[in-house]
Structure formats: structure tokens, C-alpha cells
């Protein structure tokens, strides 16, 4: 069984640090991080956002992945395995109301929340959250969706459009990416890149800003300029969607990872994939990179 949840955080009203939400589940009489089961055809990110809303009343913007927890549960058909994926989640507002599943919620500093949580697995997730500042800057680096065949396209390559499958992938990205709370959309000025993030931009009510430095040709000529431009976007006090090409993304990621001291596997860049890049709030240094290979899948 698949499930997802989050470490939900907000700034303390006293202005001294962050506090996180822990919930009491009446059925189990335990204190837990908000989490729940996946609905059919739901991404793990959407599951986390929905379950947080149902259990805490909070609307949230997701941040970096906090990894997964695996455990076995008893079911009518015998023991089964549950995998829970966790995310950092910034509380944007809302009001808690007791329900059948969750009857109490506490906002606590991290060290107090750790002492309250019933399960060691939840405490380990909270430790991962506490290993970096809560307010990391997020950039969603997207590779364009599938385009029509280059061999069958008679025009200039920069104008080659998305295929039918690519348009479906673009619509799926428009469902996925808003859970991270982006407010800006930037793209390499290639038709297939612009068309990939146009549905996201429409969903957000934002314009798509052209980024000539982030095409693969521009990256090949001046990789440092492409890196500088991406880091300039990191400096904005907003979460940004950025669309680029497969000839630029892996090498650009390697440069960012080397500068931040982050160990990455060989950077991947499937069409319509997204890298969730997390940077320090005080300076544009990469501290985490999470890969979403498929906008519809787990």
C-alpha cells in the first residue's frame, strides 16, 4: 500500500524559530505526523497535500522530500507492506477541527515534537527535516515534454511542437507542480519548452518568462552563464518553475551539486520529468535535489 505525509511547519508566533504539527489519532491513541493512504491515480505529492488538509485543516506548499518509511500492517488478507513518502510542507493557513481520525493537533518546536511522537520512524523523519533550514528556496527544473519527431518536422527545430502525448504530459505537470506553491514560470524559448509549462502558467495565472541562457545550445556555449541565470532565479523570494532541455539539465545539475557539495547519482532527465531543487535561504547553495521522473506516477 502506498501512502504519503508531511512534516508541516510554520514560524512560531514569538518569532523564535519554527514549529511543526503533530496529530493525535484516536483510533490508535498515538501521536503522529500527518499522513494517509493514496487515492487511485493520485501522485504521492497530491496525497501528502490532501492528507495534511484532511487531518490538520492546513493548506500547504510542499518542499523537499524527507524520504520514506516502510512497515508491515495486518489486513483481512494477511500482513501487507505500507510505504509512506514524506515531504517538508510549509503551512499557508487554515484551521484545525477535530474529526473521526484525528482529534487533537499540537504545534510544537522540533525538539518537543520529537519527544511527543509515538513512533521512532516518525522521529527519524523529523530529524531529516531538522537537518536543514525549514525555509529552503525551491526551483522546479522541468525537462520539456515529448515533442514530434525531429526527422518529420520541416521547420526550424526551435519551433518543433509537442506531440499528443507531450500535451498530455504538460497537462499532468499542471496538476503536479502547483502543490509546491510556485508563483513564477520561466522557460527556454523553444516552442516545446514553452508549451510544456504553459498549462502550469495558466493554472497559476502567471506569464511565461523566456530564458535564452537556458537552452541547450546556450548552455553548451556558456555553461557558467546558464548556471548564473538559474541561481539568479533562486534569489527570488518565490518558488519558480523553470523549463529547459535534456542537453542542458544533467550538466547544469552536476555543476550545482558540485558547488553545493551535494552527492547525486548520475543526473537523469526524462522528458516531462522534474527536479525539485532546494537551496539555502541565505545564499544560492544547493542542499537537496529530488527527482520526479513521471508527472503522473509514483
Amino acid at each position: 500500500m502506498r501512502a504519503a505525509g508531511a512534516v508541516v511547519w510554520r514560524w512560531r508566533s514569538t518569532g523564535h524559530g519554527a514549529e511543526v504539527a503533530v496529530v493525535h489519532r484516536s483510533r490508535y491513541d498515538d501521536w503522529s505526523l500527518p499522513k494517509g493512504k493514496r487515492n487511485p491515480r493520485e501522485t504521492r505529492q497530491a496525497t501528502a497535500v490532501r492528507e495534511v488538509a484532511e487531518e490538520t485543516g492546513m493548506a500547504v506548499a510542499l518542499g523537499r522530500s524527507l524520504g520514506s518509511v516502510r512497515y508491515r500492517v495486518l489486513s483481512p488478507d494477511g500482513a501487507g507492506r505500507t510505504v509512506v513518502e514524506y515531504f517538508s510542507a510549509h503551512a499557508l493557513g487554515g484551521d484545525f477541527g477535530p474529526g473521526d481520525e484525528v482529534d487533537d493537533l499540537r504545534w510544537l518546536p522540533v525538539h518537543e515534537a520529537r519527544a511527543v511522537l509515538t513512533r521512532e520512524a516518525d522521529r527519524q523523519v523529523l530529524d531529516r527535516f531538522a537537518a536543514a533550514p525549514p525555509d529552503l528556496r525551491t526551483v522546479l527544473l522541468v525537462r520539456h515534454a515529448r515533442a514530434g519527431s525531429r526527422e518529420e518536422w520541416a521547420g526550424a527545430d526551435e519551433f518543433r511542437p509537442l506531440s499528443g502525448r507531450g500535451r498530455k504530459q504538460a497537462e499532468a505537470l499542471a496538476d503536479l507542480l502547483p502543490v509546491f506553491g510556485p508563483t513564477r514560470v520561466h522557460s527556454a524559448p523553444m516552442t516545446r519548452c514553452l508549451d510544456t509549462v504553459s498549462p502550469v502558467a495558466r493554472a497559476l495565472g502567471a506569464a511565461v518568462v523566456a530564458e535564452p541562457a537556458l537552452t541547450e545550445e546556450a548552455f553548451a556555449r556558456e555553461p557558467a552563464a546558464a548556471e548564473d541565470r538559474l541561481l539568479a532565479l533562486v534569489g527570488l523570494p518565490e518558488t519558480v518553475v523553470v523549463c529547459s532541455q535534456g542537453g542542458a539539465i544533467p550538466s547544469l545539475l552536476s555543476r550545482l551539486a558540485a558547488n553545493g557539495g551535494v552527492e547525486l547519482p548520475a543526473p537523469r532527465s526524462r522528458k516531462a520529468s522534474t527536479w525539485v531543487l532546494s537551496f539555502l535561504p541565505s545564499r544560492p547553495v544547493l542542499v537537496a535535489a529530488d527527482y520526479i521522473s513521471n508527472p503522473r506516477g509514483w
Side-chain angles (χ1 to χ4, degrees), residues 25-41:
R25 301 185 301 173
S26 53
R27 177 181 176 184
Y28 303 102
D29 190 23
D30 68 357
W31 287 94
S32 171
L33 299 172
K35 63 177 179 293
K37 299 175 185 176
R38 173 200 184 196
N39 285 338
R41 296 182 297 278

Side-chain angles (χ1 to χ4, degrees), residues 162-195:
L162 297 181
S163 63
R165 182 179 177 186
R167 290 191 293 273
K168 291 180 180 179
Q169 290 175 325
E171 293 296 335
L173 285 167
D175 290 333
L176 169 69
L177 298 183
V179 302
F180 295 95
T183 55
R184 300 179 66 94
V185 181
H186 294 238
S187 175
M190 315 289 284
T191 295
R192 54 194 179 276
C193 293
L194 296 167
D195 288 352

Side-chain angles (χ1 to χ4, degrees), residues 94-218:
D95 294 296
F96 172 73
D100 293 337
E101 294 186 20
V102 172
D103 60 1
D104 196 5
L105 177 148
R106 296 181 187 174
W107 288 99
L108 299 169
V110 170
H111 69 282
E112 293 183 24
R114 195 181 192 285
V116 166
L117 288 169
T118 301
R119 289 176 172 76
E120 176 61 24
D122 282 359
R123 291 192 285 271
Q124 291 174 3
V125 172
L126 190 58
D127 290 344
R128 294 174 207 155
F129 168 80
D135 56 335
L136 296 173
R137 298 281 176 85
T138 301
V139 169
L140 305 169
L141 183 58
V142 180
R143 184 182 176 186
H144 67 77
R146 288 190 175 273
S149 169
R150 181 174 300 183
E151 291 74 20
E152 296 177 3
W153 175 248
D157 186 59
E158 64 182 297
F159 300 117
R160 183 158 51 95
L162 297 181
S163 63
R165 182 179 177 186
R167 290 191 293 273
K168 291 180 180 179
Q169 290 175 325
E171 293 296 335
L173 285 167
D175 290 333
L176 169 69
L177 298 183
V179 302
F180 295 95
T183 55
R184 300 179 66 94
V185 181
H186 294 238
S187 175
M190 315 289 284
T191 295
R192 54 194 179 276
C193 293
L194 296 167
D195 288 352
T196 295
V197 292
S198 288
V200 179
R202 286 196 298 271
L204 300 177
V208 181
V209 179
E211 294 289 350
L214 297 178
T215 66
E216 55 190 12
E217 290 185 1

Side-chain angles (χ1 to χ4, degrees), residues 37-48 50 296-298:
K37 299 175 185 176
R38 173 200 184 196
N39 285 338
R41 296 182 297 278
E42 191 174 51
T43 66
R44 61 187 184 272
Q45 293 84 7
T47 298
R50 176 182 55 77
R296 292 187 183 277
W298 277 69

Side-chain angles (χ1 to χ4, degrees), residues 219-239:
F219 179 82
R221 291 193 305 268
E222 296 185 86
E227 182 181 6
D228 287 346
R229 181 55 191 153
L230 185 62
L231 292 178
L233 298 178
V234 175
L236 297 173
E238 303 166 85
T239 295

